[in-house]
Amino acid sequence: MSNASKPMITDVFVAGARKGWGIATSSTLPNVLMAFVIIKALEITGALKGLGYVFAPLMNLFGLPGEAAAVLIGGWMSMGGGIGVAVSLYANGTLSGEHLAILAPAIYLMGSQIQYAGRILGVIGTKASKIPVMIIISVINAFIAMFLMKLFIA
């Protein structure tokens, strides 16, 4: 094999950077932006306070305000959306750095399940009856992770 057939490391880097930029601009950024808009709309309408009131008993178990449920709901639909919701709530003072540390593992453990159910599980032929079980397992894992993070943070 000659050296001419091996790509230069700079070419590999540039190709990877282009792919990463494409993912960021076509997938991640729109989800994060959408999350900022949704949180602002929920704030303006007062629905965020209502959501916080409804979920406060559950979220308080993890040392979180009730509004933190919006992060989990957003993350469940899209990891980028969950991160956007978390950053938005941090920016407006609803969440602290400690709250973000507690929520971060949960976002990743149950992240994007709505997207994945259609894009992956349906395509590979997963039995529809098994999908709710898979979702429940990862939600339980997320809640266990939040509980453990609360112990580490406290």
Side-chain angles (χ1 to χ4, degrees):
M1 184 182 274
S2 71
N3 285 341
S5 64
K6 291 184 181 181
M8 295 209 27
I9 189 73
T10 54
D11 294 335
V12 172
F13 175 82
V14 170
R18 281 190 183 122
K19 287 179 183 176
W21 179 258
I23 291 168
T25 57
S26 67
S27 179
T28 305
L29 188 60
N31 286 328
V32 172
L33 182 60
M34 174 193 63
F36 274 102
V37 171
I38 289 171
I39 289 300
K40 195 61 171 172
L42 291 174
E43 284 177 348
I44 290 169
T45 63
L48 186 60
K49 285 189 186 228
L51 182 78
Y53 178 77
V54 168
F55 286 101
L58 176 62
M59 294 291 98
N60 285 335
L61 295 172
F62 307 102
L64 300 168
E67 292 85 353
V71 174
L72 299 178
I73 294 166
W76 190 54
M77 292 188 253
S78 158
M79 270 195 257
I83 292 167
V85 171
V87 170
S88 181
L89 291 176
Y90 177 78
N92 76 11
T94 302
L95 297 178
S96 68
E98 289 178 354
H99 296 144
L100 295 178
I102 292 168
L103 287 164
I107 293 170
Y108 292 103
L109 285 169
M110 61 184 237
S112 302
Q113 289 187 342
I114 299 300
Q115 289 179 353
Y116 295 158
R119 289 184 188 172
I120 299 170
L121 298 177
V123 172
I124 64 171
T126 303
K127 291 183 181 180
S129 63
K130 302 293 183 194
I131 293 174
V133 173
M134 295 167 81
I135 289 172
I136 289 168
I137 289 170
S138 55
V139 170
I140 290 170
N141 286 339
F143 280 95
I144 291 169
M146 288 191 308
F147 179 74
L148 291 174
M149 286 303 292
K150 179 186 173 196
L151 295 176
F152 291 134
I153 299 295

